[in-house]
Amino acid sequence: MSVSGVINTHFIVAHMITHHGTEAQKAHYLPKMAEGAIRGAFSMSEPDLGSDVAAIKTRAKQIGDGSPNNWVIDGAKMWLTNGGTSNLIALLVKTDEGADRPHQNLTCFLVDKPEGYGEVVPGLTIPGKLDKMGYKGVDTTEAVFDGFRISGDQILGGKRGGGFAQMMDGVEVGRVNVSARACGIAIRAFELAIDYAQQRQTFGKPIAEHQAIAFKLAEMGTKVEAAHLMMVNAARLKDSGERFDVEAGMAKLLASEFCAEVTQESFRIHGGYGFSKEYEIERLMREAPFLLIGEGTSEIQKTIISRGLLREYRSR
């Protein structure tokens, strides 16, 4: 789970640079990202907002003092995966382009930084790791910007006001990854349950032979298979270059919800042993909830799906 998260976040940043960066940005970052010399994090969320990306408060202001670092960033960001171990952040900030729609006032900066914690460079502080319920192999952090200076050359693609679309493109890739992670946890939870159910005996026979448990296993196996098929479909559409926002949302919604359900059923089948750290299902019970909110909550997925379906059927 954690290894996949480290790679996913890094890959999202590489994907954004590949598809939206200038030629100079691609030449500078991508080879080093491929070999691991540069490790990516990306940052949208803030302490006071999660899904409402257009309400971002962190600001970048251009100043005319003749300095090459002629932008100043102030604000606080939250939930940076790889926040401490990364040395590149794709950072979404407000630049006030004067657009009618709030999301058109957002710009993405590529922020170079050393890895570590504390004030890593003047004006940028990574306070430390956040203590989480699960997902503990990933360093998740805040980032505080206070008069941080950066060059306009670090705007992704050189496009002011284009940050929202650039970030959403990256997040769609992340949704396929989260779907795959949900499939992985659900498959493992199912494997643990079906193995345990054949070993544990009550009333003179393995609990798998009791209809109450057998039906649980049947439902769990079906959910695992359905989620996996939807995830693979979304991944194939992404590879083909087709628009796949609805399919990615559907895959993420179904896979994460089924993952939570399958994991909980596996926990129940384990009985009291599921509550013990000696059994793997205990860890999966702490990992699964993150997938319900990572890369957009289930409610956000439903919003994306419904808008896409209405768009498609209205055009017919």
Side-chain angles (χ1 to χ4, degrees), residues 36-41 82 84-89 111-115:
I38 291 179
R39 298 170 300 283
N82 302 341
T85 52
S86 63
N87 44 24
L88 171 66
I89 302 173
V111 178
D112 294 312
K113 74 171 186 65
E115 60 183 287

Side-chain angles (χ1 to χ4, degrees), residues 2-270:
S2 294
V3 172
S4 179
V6 171
I7 295 170
N8 175 48
T9 303
H10 176 77
F11 181 73
I12 286 174
V13 180
H15 174 84
M16 290 169 60
I17 294 172
T18 300
H19 290 271
H20 304 287
T22 65
E23 292 304 315
Q25 289 167 349
K26 293 176 187 178
H28 174 70
Y29 287 110
L30 293 178
K32 295 177 183 177
M33 294 186 80
E35 68 183 22
I38 291 179
R39 298 170 300 283
F42 81 108
S43 178
M44 293 191 298
S45 296
E46 297 186 358
D48 294 333
L49 64 92
S51 300
D52 187 8
V53 178
I56 279 175
K57 298 177 182 177
T58 300
R59 291 180 179 271
K61 294 184 178 180
Q62 192 171 21
I63 55 176
D65 62 357
S67 167
N69 292 330
N70 60 337
W71 287 84
V72 180
I73 300 176
D74 292 286
K77 308 297 281 189
M78 193 70 169
W79 308 118
L80 277 75
T81 298
N82 302 341
T85 52
S86 63
N87 44 24
L88 171 66
I89 302 173
L91 178 73
L92 191 63
V93 298
K94 183 170 286 187
T95 48
D96 291 328
E97 303 300 324
D100 295 332
R101 298 181 179 181
H103 68 269
Q104 294 175 332
N105 291 315
L106 301 175
T107 299
C108 182
F109 279 85
L110 298 174
V111 178
D112 294 312
K113 74 171 186 65
E115 60 183 287
Y117 301 94
E119 189 174 20
V120 291
V121 289
L124 172 56
T125 300
I126 307 295
K129 296 181 182 180
L130 298 169
D131 194 14
K132 309 184 296 292
M133 178 171 70
Y135 204 32
K136 292 182 178 291
V138 167
D139 58 289
T140 307
T141 74
E142 300 173 75
V144 179
F145 294 86
D146 184 9
F148 177 77
R149 302 288 292 264
I150 191 169
S151 168
D153 292 339
Q154 294 302 107
I155 294 175
L156 180 59
K159 186 177 181 181
R160 292 172 53 169
F164 181 82
Q166 294 166 345
M167 279 280 181
M168 290 304 104
D169 183 32
V171 168
E172 283 183 2
V173 176
R175 285 181 181 142
V176 177
N177 177 281
V178 169
S179 302
R181 274 190 263 178
C183 289
I185 288 183
I187 289 168
R188 184 57 181 156
F190 172 73
E191 290 173 346
L192 293 171
I194 201 165
D195 286 346
Y196 183 81
Q198 293 174 82
Q199 297 168 19
R200 177 79 161 99
Q201 293 201 359
T202 61
F203 306 105
K205 59 183 178 181
I207 61 173
E209 295 182 17
H210 294 292
Q211 190 179 70
I213 302 301
F215 279 11
K216 283 182 184 291
L217 294 171
E219 292 176 359
M220 292 163 69
T222 302
K223 288 176 179 178
V224 165
E225 187 69 16
H228 188 266
L229 289 169
M230 290 199 73
M231 178 272 292
V232 170
N233 178 60
R236 286 175 174 162
L237 285 171
K238 177 60 182 173
D239 282 345
S240 72
E242 296 180 42
R243 182 170 184 168
F244 79 120
D245 54 336
V246 171
E247 290 80 5
M250 286 179 171
K252 196 276 177 183
L253 171 65
L254 194 81
S256 62
E257 291 287 352
F258 278 1
C259 173
E261 294 170 14
V262 169
T263 303
Q264 187 174 88
E265 290 292 6
S266 180
F267 169 77
R268 292 183 177 190
I269 287 171
H270 279 77

